[in-house]
Amino acid sequence: MSSPVEQITVVSSDGDEFKMTVAAAMQSEQLKQMLTDDSISIVKVPVENISTEILVKVIEYCQKHADHEAATKANGGGASDSEAEELNKWDAEFMKVDVEDKLFHILMAANYLEIKGLFDLACQTVADLIKGKTPKQIRKIFNLKNDFTPEEQERLSRQHNCSFD
Amino acid sequence: MDSRPPYLPEEIILNILKRLPVESLIRFQCVCKHWNNLIKSPSFIADHLQQSSHQNPSLLLDCNNSCSPLRWRLRLLDWGMQVRLVQKAPLVDSFWGASIIGSCNGLVCVQIHQHDKSPPSLSLWNPATTAVRHVPRPRIIFSDLDDCMTGFGFSPIVNDYKIVRTYSKLYYEVDRAEVFSLSRGSWKRIDSGNLKGVRLNSEAVTTNGAIFWSGVKLDADEDGEDGVEVIAQVIVSFDIVKEVFTLSPWPDLNYTSGDEKLTIYGNKLAILCDIWRRDNERFDLIRLWVMEEGTCAFGERRNWTKIYTSPFSKTLDPVTIWRNQIVYTRGGSAVPSKKGRTVHLMNLTTNEVKRFVVPYRGSIQNIYNYVESLVSVGNNYIEES
């Protein structure tokens, strides 16, 4: 019989170790599975494809949302409108990253660790970022090649009134 | 860190794309072949529609000015309560004007009025993609003494959009009906026997694979010379899959004077009552009744539940329900302000009232629930304006 766990340690791909409270870890479906499975006694969880820089951000998100959930429960149920709005504002600030790539890495990490809130938030942030861009800019961001023939390009340009530039 | 973006699996790309407005997605069809195929795929179009319904349910406002073509009358209200003019509405070159039959999943059915000897023609239009499809002429012969009523709806069971039309001699009972299927691309005559003695007298509303109208049961005297007498109010429903009409009695809602109008609340048929007198007292309030679910035998009475009564207020004209709010205008002698017409939204849970102004001083003909989508108007005869 293992003693109740209060913290777990996650290890980034760079080898750095970070402590997470159980409440924060439960934000991740993956970590939650491990924590609720009595047959596994957790010491350290390696997250091989998440770098230190990204892992720090992810843990920050999990902790904030775990704290918010706990506070809501203590108040007996639903979050008030102002509390929900405050969290939304925090989320919006949180997603303001300096480099676009960081956004994608957070997205991938949220997907890997199955943190639904962070995953949806990151997808929405990327969507808002790209919605006004041109096809050329999109190709650069997603590393895609324009594989249309010149005839196809011409037909599409006419149909959709868009430029390939 | 590697400066190149990480490879994103397709499911993640789809999760991002489904959140984009239609305008962006149409442009992104030009990114590469793979994205072109993704964006056109029926499963993505369905996911995008679901996301759009959740993220940005909107209102389409038809501002009536019989001199103005359709493209100058239509406005959209989005989730952020911003009003804007609808761009690129179909060109309606009819002197007699056009009206909207209804909107489903981002498609709008437009009816274009003709001179007396022809029934109104129809078009299916997706305002977001700007695609328009002219519906072929119905088969039923129409004379200048005839009248017709039209409904538009969708059934997820057969994944098809249909337009149903009933015909009658003006003011008389329905005697013919036909239905157009978007996937079939043609009209089909259907049995209207269940509507014998019934005249439809409202615009259509649709939900859950059915189209509804209010109607009256007529009692024509034998020689027909004294006209027809109304003996009862009914609800006419049309099953989109089975293509069959059913009647059920109008519920007795127990008040003296008011107007009743069919609407949709939470995917169920509902009646919005605008009550302006009870006993001898003049007042104005709105009540909302919802029809309970379940199948009923033909003619059987349904159960209705009163789910809302508004606070007392001055002359209200309820129009429809949107995002748990009653959409209404101030009727009677209300005049538009310099900025335009005010539309009010009364929250059914909190009674809080919000307002927005439509920069238009004419009257508002009708307001429809609308959602942006990539749904196609059909494979054939697509004209993109």
Side-chain angles (χ1 to χ4, degrees):
Chain A
M1 169 108 152
S2 52
S3 57
V5 177
E6 295 200 350
Q7 278 193 328
I8 65 166
T9 304
V10 283
V11 188
S12 76
S13 57
D14 302 315
D16 297 316
E17 295 182 5
F18 298 92
K19 290 216 191 313
M20 268 180 102
T21 64
V22 166
M26 298 283 264
Q27 295 286 315
S28 152
E29 271 305 309
Q30 254 228 6
L31 296 177
K32 185 175 170 183
Q33 298 273 353
M34 288 190 219
L35 284 168
T36 52
D37 186 345
D38 285 336
S39 66
I40 302 176
S41 88
I42 305 173
V43 181
K44 291 181 190 175
V45 183
V47 282
E48 280 164 12
N49 40 15
I50 305 179
S51 69
T52 295
E53 191 183 4
I54 300 301
L55 188 54
V56 163
K57 283 289 268 185
V58 170
I59 293 175
E60 189 190 341
Y61 176 91
C62 291
Q63 192 59 61
K64 174 71 181 180
H65 279 251
D67 291 344
H68 182 258
E69 264 175 36
T72 303
K73 238 182 183 169
N75 288 340
S80 74
D81 275 352
S82 59
E83 280 168 10
E85 195 168 322
E86 194 242 303
L87 189 65
N88 286 339
K89 280 192 184 149
W90 186 93
D91 281 349
E93 274 305 308
F94 174 80
M95 290 310 287
K96 285 182 185 163
V97 292
D98 46 1
V99 179
E100 231 163 55
D101 285 352
K102 211 166 164 179
L103 187 51
F104 287 109
H105 286 287
I106 293 175
L107 178 52
M108 297 285 275
N111 185 45
Y112 176 75
L113 288 172
E114 295 175 73
I115 307 167
K116 185 170 184 345
L118 182 57
F119 179 69
D120 285 342
L121 179 63
C123 283
Q124 188 61 51
T125 308
V126 174
D128 292 337
L129 189 75
I130 66 172
K131 71 180 171 203
K133 298 210 183 286
T134 65
K136 193 176 185 182
Q137 289 169 321
I138 296 292
R139 279 182 219 120
K140 185 154 182 253
I141 293 171
F142 291 90
N143 202 21
L144 299 164
K145 199 161 177 286
N146 177 1
D147 54 354
F148 290 111
T149 66
E151 296 82 33
E152 285 168 339
Q153 273 187 179
E154 218 225 290
R155 184 169 51 83
L156 278 172
S157 289
R158 269 187 289 116
Q159 240 176 25
H160 302 302
N161 195 28
C162 65
S163 126
F164 271 75
D165 293 328
Chain B
M1 184 188 295
D2 191 344
S3 63
R4 269 187 25 203
Y7 166 71
L8 287 180
E10 184 159 297
E11 59 187 47
I12 296 188
I13 302 229
L14 288 171
N15 204 317
I16 296 169
L17 291 180
K18 76 177 185 186
R19 297 161 193 271
L20 290 171
V22 169
E23 184 191 32
S24 308
L25 288 168
I26 291 181
R27 201 164 61 242
F28 296 169
Q29 285 180 334
C30 300
V31 166
C32 66
K33 282 186 181 172
H34 185 57
W35 277 38
N36 195 313
N37 291 333
L38 280 181
I39 292 168
K40 288 197 167 108
S41 72
S43 62
F44 175 73
I45 292 177
D47 279 345
H48 176 268
L49 170 62
Q50 197 185 43
Q51 182 72 23
S52 189
S53 312
H54 172 69
Q55 203 168 320
N56 193 13
S58 306
L59 282 178
L60 182 65
L61 299 108
D62 187 4
C63 301
N64 184 37
N65 180 337
S66 49
C67 302
S68 291
L70 198 66
R71 54 176 48 182
W72 296 347
R73 283 163 29 195
L74 298 175
R75 283 157 174 85
L76 268 181
L77 177 78
D78 62 24
W79 170 272
M81 303 281 279
Q82 298 297 311
V83 179
R84 63 174 208 273
L85 195 61
V86 172
Q87 306 292 333
K88 296 186 186 171
L91 183 64
V92 172
D93 58 353
S94 163
F95 177 74
W96 287 269
S99 56
I100 292 183
I101 298 296
S103 175
C104 259
N105 294 349
L107 293 187
V108 178
C109 182
V110 178
Q111 180 160 265
I112 299 142
H113 305 290
Q114 315 281 346
H115 57 82
D116 284 340
K117 292 203 167 55
S118 302
S121 66
L122 294 160
S123 285
L124 284 172
W125 169 46
N126 182 324
T129 65
T130 73
V132 176
R133 174 189 186 157
H134 298 302
V135 172
R137 284 193 165 289
R139 294 172 168 197
I140 286 182
I141 314 284
F142 191 81
S143 83
D144 56 1
L145 296 170
D146 285 344
D147 191 21
C148 69
M149 298 293 277
T150 314
F152 173 60
F154 170 73
S155 164
I157 296 172
V158 291
N159 194 27
D160 196 10
Y161 297 86
K162 293 191 186 173
I163 303 173
V164 60
R165 240 209 194 143
T166 65
Y167 296 86
S168 65
K169 296 269 167 292
L170 199 56
Y171 304 127
Y172 280 76
E173 60 173 357
V174 172
D175 51 29
R176 294 151 288 165
E178 58 183 341
V179 65
F180 175 81
S181 139
L182 184 57
S183 59
R184 205 173 52 221
S186 62
W187 290 92
K188 188 175 93 178
R189 186 82 182 254
I190 54 172
D191 179 23
S192 61
N194 285 350
L195 298 185
K196 188 165 166 56
V198 173
R199 185 181 89 219
L200 305 188
N201 67 358
S202 78
E203 294 192 350
V205 294
T206 182
T207 188
N208 249 349
I211 301 173
F212 302 93
W213 300 258
S214 65
V216 288
K217 220 162 173 11
L218 304 169
D219 178 29
D221 56 18
E222 279 178 9
D223 57 12
E225 289 215 347
D226 292 341
V228 290
E229 198 187 298
V230 173
I231 53 172
Q233 244 194 311
V234 290
I235 294 174
V236 176
S237 52
F238 177 74
D239 182 318
I240 294 175
V241 176
K242 296 181 187 151
E243 297 181 345
V244 162
F245 290 100
T246 325
L247 290 182
S248 54
W250 195 272
D252 178 9
L253 301 176
N254 215 14
Y255 54 83
T256 317
S257 298
D259 291 323
E260 292 168 326
K261 152 178 215 176
L262 287 180
T263 187
I264 304 296
Y265 177 73
N267 288 332
K268 295 183 191 171
L269 184 65
I271 294 178
L272 259 179
C273 310
D274 177 15
I275 301 166
W276 29 266
R277 190 191 294 274
R278 188 173 62 191
D279 303 325
N280 276 318
E281 232 182 278
R282 275 229 57 155
F283 62 77
D284 205 334
L285 58 82
I286 297 174
R287 284 216 181 103
L288 182 64
W289 293 76
V290 173
M291 186 174 81
E292 281 169 25
E293 304 218 272
T295 49
C296 259
F298 184 89
E300 209 175 275
R301 191 168 289 277
R302 301 272 213 154
N303 285 326
W304 291 77
T305 310
K306 178 170 52 165
I307 63 156
Y308 175 76
T309 301
S310 75
F312 162 71
S313 188
K314 296 181 200 163
T315 341
L316 310 164
D317 280 345
V319 183
T320 188
I321 314 268
W322 180 62
R323 291 174 58 196
N324 200 43
Q325 295 160 114
I326 295 181
V327 182
Y328 66 95
T329 55
R330 277 273 161 80
S333 54
V335 291
S337 70
K338 275 190 209 143
K339 289 190 202 155
R341 282 275 175 196
T342 304
V343 178
H344 308 257
L345 305 168
M346 174 147 31
N347 190 302
L348 290 167
T349 309
T350 64
N351 282 335
E352 184 197 342
V353 177
K354 289 188 186 160
R355 293 169 185 83
F356 63 92
V357 178
V358 184
Y360 180 83
R361 304 192 71 222
S363 62
I364 296 182
Q365 171 104 311
N366 214 335
I367 302 178
Y368 306 88
N369 275 266
Y370 169 77
V371 67
E372 245 203 12
S373 81
L374 287 160
V375 173
S376 166
V377 293
N379 295 323
N380 312 318
Y381 326 123
I382 295 178
E383 296 163 35
E384 291 176 42
S385 52

